[in-house]
Amino acid sequence: MPSVSTPCLSPASNRTLFDFSVTNTASLLYKGRVILFRRSKSALSSIAKAAWMFGVFVVAGGISGSAAEEMSRGLRGPEEVETFVDGIMAAQRESLHTVGAVVVIVADGKLYFSKGYGYADTAKNRAVDPAKTLFRIGSVSKLFTWTAVMQMAERRKLDLNSDVNNYLSTFKIPDTYSTPITLTHLLAHTAGFEDRVIGLFSHDPAALKPLRECLAAELPERVRPPGRISVYSNHGAALAGLIVQEVSAMPWEDFVEKNILEPLQMTHTTVRQ
């Protein structure tokens, strides 16, 4: 195995350091454990993702002595954060062929870092503007759905541990297993539905169906008892959104706008797509 320089970790800290050495291996020190990776484009991409998700440091080459002490203190100031994020985004854009992206960091309720990468319009050579360029919301909408569910629970309109069938008026979830599906299961992706992708996109607005009609027609099978295994479920999240809609007597989009987006003054965000 090619040699790998060893990353350093301050004994008094819980920090993680990556070392992308000049050889074809990379090492990760996480909570005192050293893990070695065979270096490749896909591996570097995976490591970069992990680094971004878990807030670790990416270090070019080996580190030792004063350099190790310097890195052990962590990122300090917007300039160092920008250098760190630039490196992560460069690897991600090359690996995933990403046209454009925005990275925003909020600390203590204030905007700490914001930067656009790539292009918003390649034909016009228009760069991404972190303050103006819009991106499709995608599954970030699930966070709004979970927040809406918790708001309803705080208002005692929903019970997280109650059978979801208690809140569904137009169709019911089959009682395949003795344990009913609850909102807690939906939020944790442990409802036990089969893995299916239904009705995510449409190129024709006229083909769009009401949420309750779509979910009733495309109900996936229950293939495992709830609460056992976490399997990402678009249907489960949509079902939670329907329950918010049914109980609040408001369309899901209206509820999210009135109870989440407007109070937070998120005037450049929409869930109507």
Side-chain angles (χ1 to χ4, degrees):
M1 176 184 295
S3 62
V4 177
S5 52
T6 306
C8 299
L9 181 69
S10 170
S13 73
N14 195 29
R15 301 189 185 282
T16 305
L17 298 180
F18 276 105
D19 173 339
F20 292 155
S21 70
V22 294
T23 64
N24 66 339
T25 353
S27 58
L28 159 65
L29 180 58
Y30 179 64
K31 294 185 178 180
R33 300 178 61 187
V34 176
I35 305 173
L36 299 181
F37 298 88
R38 177 67 60 181
R39 185 167 179 170
S40 67
K41 182 177 291 187
S42 60
L44 290 178
S45 175
S46 299
I47 294 172
K49 287 181 181 179
W52 180 247
M53 290 176 64
F54 296 104
V56 301
F57 298 100
V58 176
V59 187
I63 57 176
S64 61
S66 59
E69 294 179 7
E70 184 72 7
M71 285 305 303
S72 67
R73 63 169 171 75
L75 299 173
R76 189 166 57 190
E79 291 184 357
E80 291 188 5
V81 170
E82 182 174 12
T83 299
F84 169 73
V85 175
D86 284 351
I88 292 293
M89 292 306 297
Q92 289 293 286
R93 291 189 61 216
E94 178 183 2
S95 174
L96 302 176
H97 308 289
T98 303
V99 175
V102 166
V103 175
V104 176
I105 299 175
V106 176
D108 299 323
K110 297 180 181 179
L111 182 63
Y112 184 79
F113 174 82
S114 177
K115 187 173 180 178
Y117 296 86
Y119 296 94
D121 189 331
T122 54
K124 297 181 180 179
N125 204 34
R126 179 162 54 88
V128 169
D129 183 338
K132 297 180 179 179
T133 303
L134 296 181
F135 289 84
R136 184 178 174 274
I137 193 170
S139 284
V140 174
S141 59
K142 288 183 175 64
L143 302 180
F144 294 143
T145 298
W146 304 151
T147 301
V149 167
M150 296 309 296
Q151 287 180 337
M152 294 288 286
E154 288 178 345
R155 298 167 191 172
R156 301 188 182 279
K157 300 293 185 180
L158 293 176
D159 182 347
L160 300 181
N161 298 311
S162 178
D163 186 340
V164 295
N165 281 330
N166 294 333
Y167 304 116
L168 298 173
S169 61
T170 56
F171 66 92
K172 300 295 182 181
I173 304 298
D175 57 351
T176 308
Y177 301 96
S178 58
T179 303
I181 295 174
T182 68
L183 282 165
T184 296
H185 295 136
L186 297 183
L187 268 65
H189 293 280
T190 59
F193 291 124
E194 65 176 334
D195 186 18
R196 293 176 58 192
V197 177
I198 58 169
L200 287 182
F201 307 99
S202 175
H203 296 288
D204 181 6
L208 294 176
K209 298 179 180 179
L211 182 58
R212 61 170 62 90
E213 181 180 329
C214 181
L215 293 181
E218 301 288 349
L219 188 65
E221 296 290 334
R222 296 182 63 184
V223 295
R224 64 184 65 85
R228 292 193 178 181
I229 301 176
S230 180
V231 177
Y232 191 83
S233 175
N234 286 300
H235 189 94
L239 190 61
L242 176 61
I243 290 173
V244 169
Q245 180 172 291
E246 297 271 282
V247 177
S248 68
M250 295 176 62
W252 177 83
E253 296 88 347
D254 291 349
F255 185 95
V256 170
E257 288 175 353
K258 181 178 179 180
N259 294 275
I260 301 176
L261 301 184
E262 290 179 8
L264 293 175
Q265 299 180 16
M266 297 176 66
T267 57
H268 293 86
T269 300
T270 180
V271 291
R272 300 179 184 273
Q273 52 178 321

